[in-house]
Amino acid sequence: MSMRVTPTDLIPMARGAAVLGGGGGGDPHIGRLLAASAMRELGDVEIVSPDEVPATACVLPIAMMGAPTVMVEKIPSAGQISLALETLARYLGRTPTHVACMEAGGVNSMVPFVAAARLGLPLIDGDAMGRAFPELQMVLPTMSGVSATPMSIVDDKNNKGVFDTIDNNWAERLARSATIDMGCAPIVSLYAMSGSEVRDCFVPGTLSLCLSIGSAIESARAANQDPVEALVGALRGKLIHTGKVVDVTRRTVAGFARGEAVVTGLDAAAGSQLVLKFQNEHLIAELDGEVLVTTPDLIVVVDAETGEPITTETLRFGHRVAVVAAPMDERWHTPAGIELVGPRYFGYDLDPIRFDGTPSEGARLGAC
Amino acid sequence: MSMRVTPTDLIPMARGAAVLGGGGGGDPHIGRLLAASAMRELGDVEIVSPDEVPATACVLPIAMMGAPTVMVEKIPSAGQISLALETLARYLGRTPTHVACMEAGGVNSMVPFVAAARLGLPLIDGDAMGRAFPELQMVLPTMSGVSATPMSIVDDKNNKGVFDTIDNNWAERLARSATIDMGCAPIVSLYAMSGSEVRDCFVPGTLSLCLSIGSAIESARAANQDPVEALVGALRGKLIHTGKVVDVTRRTVAGFARGEAVVTGLDAAAGSQLVLKFQNEHLIAELDGEVLVTTPDLIVVVDAETGEPITTETLRFGHRVAVVAAPMDERWHTPAGIELVGPRYFGYDLDPIRFDGTPSEGARLGAC
């Protein structure tokens, strides 16, 4: 199934992408403006399901790398985005047939539309994680043995780099240092894949999911229904808390936005206090000292009234918010998935807990 | 004029290279062993004068990048050295015809012999600075507008990178971060040049000069003559001090070995105290508070008895040393040269002083 995406579709899609960002991934707003402008100039973008991609296709994913706190102020150029893709294609000596999205959550849902419009290539409806995570090896293809490299990295000044590393952790390490030198917002193209690899490793349908989530929120608002309830439905998730943000601490460390937020319960949740721990994305939600849900499941903070997702870098004192948890791809709950993105990787000494309160299959890693 | 270099020739050549290292550039000893081993296995290396290189030649220089303090402990592999060259050649889509040396001072005099032996290519008798300097943009080709990039960088684990930057300072910045991540001793291939560019930008004859310097020291020793006097003659330099090292402070900062050494005068120099300031290489020599000679001219510390050059990382209390100054390529003394490698670039608020006490032409920069 393929679908033509117009600049107008990007509005709800970006909202849905901010939801899947789980507070991180960078605000998609600026990316959406850039994508809409490229599409108005060069035409709509066709998104195709992973099923339709020929096995021998040359698929080049593209993303912005860096700290969301910087990304909201430093706008990439459309030229920088296509240059990253062209640099990788040239190094590989291949002609790309499809553009892909690594991270459906946040700004990286929109960046691939710019590349697809400029190169006139179809974009794959899916992504490599189903949400947003802060490091480049934190994707399902890593678990399937797909190499992140060769990867390209291009900054706003047109400095270019290519890394070709022995594993995906080394790719993260070298690209992270370059990202910091390059001002914390370069564009990267990485995890070049065949069509078969995309079918094996991608979470299918995440771009159209973003569109459904965003549309559900908008329709509920238009019909004077509860947008938070609509969001919970679209995500097949669960409302875990509503309340007022009473404290936020955040700092940008080694290219990441880290911190904690405290939400004091209102209405039905009165008397309860939720603590959110984030590193770019929300990773842990703790209600009155009890861990409710952890990475890899999704924790999203939205405006309690409008259902509008709030990123960790814009969260502030006084916000009335609803906190929603939702299940993520099952592969994240395997031991290999938990090793890559479980609470312990981020420095929290906790077993992973799913959105519905059950422990993750990978939780047995905690016994090591 | 071309010349066949044998593993035996490398012994005096490495000694001469340590002299041109001016205390830095890394001890050539380990590089020499590696080069000798490659040459014993694969054959002698032909060194050719820049004059003989065809205008359209594809010349790929090669070097080790990093902190000399680490380089003496972390030995590159011959495979790593040829991989760096092959990675650049592949990125350029060119077949190299010649290998070249960026830095005749120190270990980087020897590294190109490994590549030349392994690839069966001639090596150019010359280098891009005539000595050693700590940053990659500090070469004569920078002044002629030759780009350092595309450049390759390869570590001991076979992680590879390519940088393609907007100027040579950006190449230094990105490659320096990668160098630190890669453990402070990667191999780089950079400043790909045509034969005409080599003729324009290189200091000709520096590899054979290393051989003459080393041979002069050895012959003097064999003939029971003063090796320091022989060294001064071979360098067309000047003895500026003899004495005992009474203090050395050094630290490795951001990939560089920085510090100071104090030499208390003996014999004719009794009562005088020389302070040497170094950042990998000796940059300033100050006698009793008066600046005698500065970068870009050469300051070399050798064992007072044997004439054996001493690198800044092995200099220690109690060493009886002779300190020799020597003139460097005239292009370093132009305003552009002084901007790149003059005392102020290194953070010393001083006008440059030549080995013979006259001010450098570029000294007028001091008036800015």
Side-chain angles (χ1 to χ4, degrees):
Chain A
M1 200 199 73
S2 89
M3 183 175 114
R4 238 179 160 64
V5 177
T6 67
T8 313
D9 295 330
L10 295 181
I11 300 170
M13 194 183 273
R15 183 168 285 124
V19 167
L20 288 189
D27 187 337
H29 178 66
I30 281 169
R32 180 182 70 73
L33 295 179
L34 206 60
S37 146
M39 287 159 69
R40 271 193 296 268
E41 186 192 337
L42 300 156
D44 296 343
V45 166
E46 189 194 3
I47 62 173
V48 298
S49 146
D51 293 342
E52 286 169 86
V53 181
T56 56
C58 173
V59 181
L60 298 192
I62 190 141
M64 193 181 215
M65 185 160 176
T69 38
V70 174
M71 289 181 189
V72 294
E73 295 180 3
K74 197 159 180 175
I75 307 166
S77 72
Q80 182 187 350
I81 294 171
S82 39
L83 184 59
L85 214 138
E86 288 155 6
T87 300
L88 178 57
R90 187 176 164 268
Y91 187 86
L92 291 168
R94 300 281 312 265
T95 304
T97 59
H98 295 74
V99 175
C101 171
M102 286 312 290
E103 179 177 58
V107 65
N108 281 329
S109 58
M110 296 290 119
V111 167
F113 280 95
V114 180
R118 283 183 66 106
L119 279 80
L121 293 176
L123 172 60
I124 290 170
D125 183 10
D127 77 318
M129 44 183 121
R131 49 166 297 165
F133 275 125
E135 298 181 11
L136 75 69
Q137 78 283 8
M138 295 175 166
V139 293
L140 299 173
T142 294
M143 286 198 258
S144 301
V146 176
S147 175
T149 68
M151 70 172 284
S152 63
I153 184 163
V154 172
D155 73 8
D156 54 323
K157 291 165 281 292
N158 281 340
N159 287 307
K160 294 181 286 181
V162 175
F163 295 113
D164 202 342
T165 59
I166 52 170
D167 64 35
N168 294 356
N169 289 317
W170 270 105
E172 162 66 24
R173 183 163 169 184
L174 293 170
R176 188 66 55 186
S177 294
T179 291
I180 295 167
D181 284 331
M182 286 175 159
C184 282
I187 301 293
V188 295
S189 184
L190 67 185
Y191 290 99
M193 273 180 259
S194 68
S196 331
E197 286 172 318
V198 165
R199 274 196 291 280
D200 281 354
C201 305
F202 260 42
V203 184
T206 40
L207 295 182
S208 28
L209 175 63
C210 288
L211 185 56
S212 324
I213 295 169
S215 303
I217 295 173
E218 283 180 19
S219 308
R221 278 186 214 162
N224 273 324
Q225 290 165 346
D226 180 5
V228 176
E229 208 179 295
L231 166 67
V232 169
L235 278 174
R236 297 197 183 87
K238 194 175 151 183
L239 177 69
I240 59 170
H241 196 61
T242 51
K244 189 177 100 168
V245 177
V246 294
D247 195 19
V248 185
T249 51
R250 82 167 69 74
R251 54 198 194 287
T252 299
V253 183
F256 296 114
R258 297 191 176 167
E260 262 189 46
V262 180
V263 183
T264 286
L266 294 174
D267 307 327
S272 276
Q273 189 156 284
L274 189 84
V275 176
L276 294 162
K277 296 178 181 176
F278 56 85
Q279 292 187 21
N280 287 14
E281 289 74 37
H282 292 296
L283 297 174
I284 312 278
E286 220 177 83
L287 189 67
D288 300 325
E290 188 203 347
V291 177
L292 271 194
V293 55
T294 70
T295 175
D297 273 352
L298 189 71
I299 302 164
V300 200
V301 177
V302 299
D303 183 286
E305 207 62 45
T306 64
E308 197 65 28
I310 301 166
T311 57
T312 53
E313 74 265 16
T314 56
L315 203 62
R316 62 173 201 281
F317 179 86
H319 255 142
R320 306 288 166 126
V321 299
V323 184
V324 173
M328 288 289 104
D329 195 275
E330 273 309 297
R331 288 167 282 184
W332 284 130
H333 289 284
T334 61
I338 295 302
E339 202 179 327
L340 268 185
V341 299
R344 286 191 171 80
Y345 183 89
F346 293 99
Y348 306 105
D349 190 20
L350 292 177
D351 282 334
I353 305 283
R354 286 172 190 261
F355 87 106
D356 58 5
T358 61
S360 203
E361 186 208 332
R364 57 190 164 93
L365 274 182
C368 299
Chain B
M1 199 200 72
S2 88
M3 183 175 119
R4 232 170 169 72
V5 177
T6 68
T8 313
D9 294 330
L10 295 182
I11 301 171
M13 195 184 273
R15 182 167 284 124
V19 168
L20 287 189
D27 186 337
H29 177 67
I30 281 169
R32 180 182 70 74
L33 295 180
L34 206 61
S37 146
M39 286 158 68
R40 270 193 294 267
E41 186 192 336
L42 299 156
D44 295 343
V45 167
E46 188 194 3
I47 62 173
V48 298
S49 146
D51 294 342
E52 285 169 87
V53 182
T56 57
C58 174
V59 181
L60 298 191
I62 190 141
M64 194 181 216
M65 185 161 176
T69 38
V70 174
M71 287 181 190
V72 293
E73 294 182 3
K74 198 161 182 171
I75 307 165
S77 72
Q80 182 187 352
I81 294 171
S82 40
L83 184 58
L85 213 137
E86 287 155 6
T87 300
L88 179 58
R90 185 175 165 269
Y91 187 86
L92 291 168
R94 300 279 313 264
T95 304
T97 58
H98 295 74
V99 175
C101 170
M102 285 312 291
E103 180 177 56
V107 65
N108 280 328
S109 59
M110 295 291 120
V111 167
F113 280 95
V114 181
R118 282 185 66 104
L119 279 78
L121 293 176
L123 172 61
I124 290 170
D125 183 11
D127 77 319
M129 44 183 122
R131 49 166 294 165
F133 276 125
E135 299 181 10
L136 76 69
Q137 78 283 6
M138 295 174 166
V139 293
L140 299 173
T142 293
M143 287 199 256
S144 301
V146 175
S147 176
T149 69
M151 71 173 282
S152 63
I153 183 162
V154 173
D155 74 9
D156 54 322
K157 291 164 283 290
N158 279 342
N159 288 306
K160 295 181 286 181
V162 175
F163 295 112
D164 201 342
T165 59
I166 52 170
D167 62 36
N168 294 355
N169 289 316
W170 269 105
E172 162 66 23
R173 184 164 168 184
L174 293 170
R176 188 64 57 185
S177 294
T179 291
I180 295 166
D181 284 331
M182 286 174 159
C184 282
I187 301 292
V188 294
S189 183
L190 67 183
Y191 291 97
M193 274 180 259
S194 67
S196 332
E197 285 172 320
V198 165
R199 275 197 290 279
D200 281 356
C201 306
F202 260 42
V203 184
T206 41
L207 295 182
S208 28
L209 174 64
C210 288
L211 185 56
S212 325
I213 294 169
S215 306
I217 295 172
E218 284 180 18
S219 310
R221 279 186 213 162
N224 274 325
Q225 290 166 345
D226 181 6
V228 176
E229 206 179 297
L231 167 67
V232 169
L235 279 175
R236 296 195 184 88
K238 194 175 150 184
L239 177 69
I240 60 170
H241 196 62
T242 51
K244 188 178 102 167
V245 177
V246 294
D247 195 19
V248 184
T249 52
R250 81 165 73 73
R251 56 197 193 285
T252 299
V253 183
F256 296 114
R258 298 191 177 166
E260 261 189 46
V262 181
V263 184
T264 287
L266 295 173
D267 307 325
S272 276
Q273 188 156 285
L274 189 82
V275 176
L276 294 161
K277 296 179 182 174
F278 56 86
Q279 294 186 21
N280 288 11
E281 290 74 38
H282 291 295
L283 298 173
I284 312 278
E286 222 178 81
L287 190 67
D288 300 325
E290 188 203 348
V291 177
L292 270 194
V293 54
T294 70
T295 173
D297 273 353
L298 188 72
I299 301 165
V300 200
V301 177
V302 298
D303 184 285
E305 207 63 43
T306 64
E308 197 66 26
I310 301 165
T311 58
T312 53
E313 74 266 16
T314 55
L315 203 61
R316 61 173 201 281
F317 178 87
H319 254 141
R320 306 287 165 128
V321 299
V323 184
V324 173
M328 288 290 105
D329 194 276
E330 272 309 299
R331 289 168 283 184
W332 284 128
H333 289 284
T334 61
I338 294 302
E339 203 179 327
L340 268 184
V341 299
R344 286 191 170 79
Y345 182 89
F346 293 99
Y348 305 106
D349 191 20
L350 292 177
D351 283 335
I353 305 282
R354 286 173 189 261
F355 88 106
D356 59 3
T358 61
S360 201
E361 185 207 335
R364 56 188 163 95
L365 275 183
C368 299

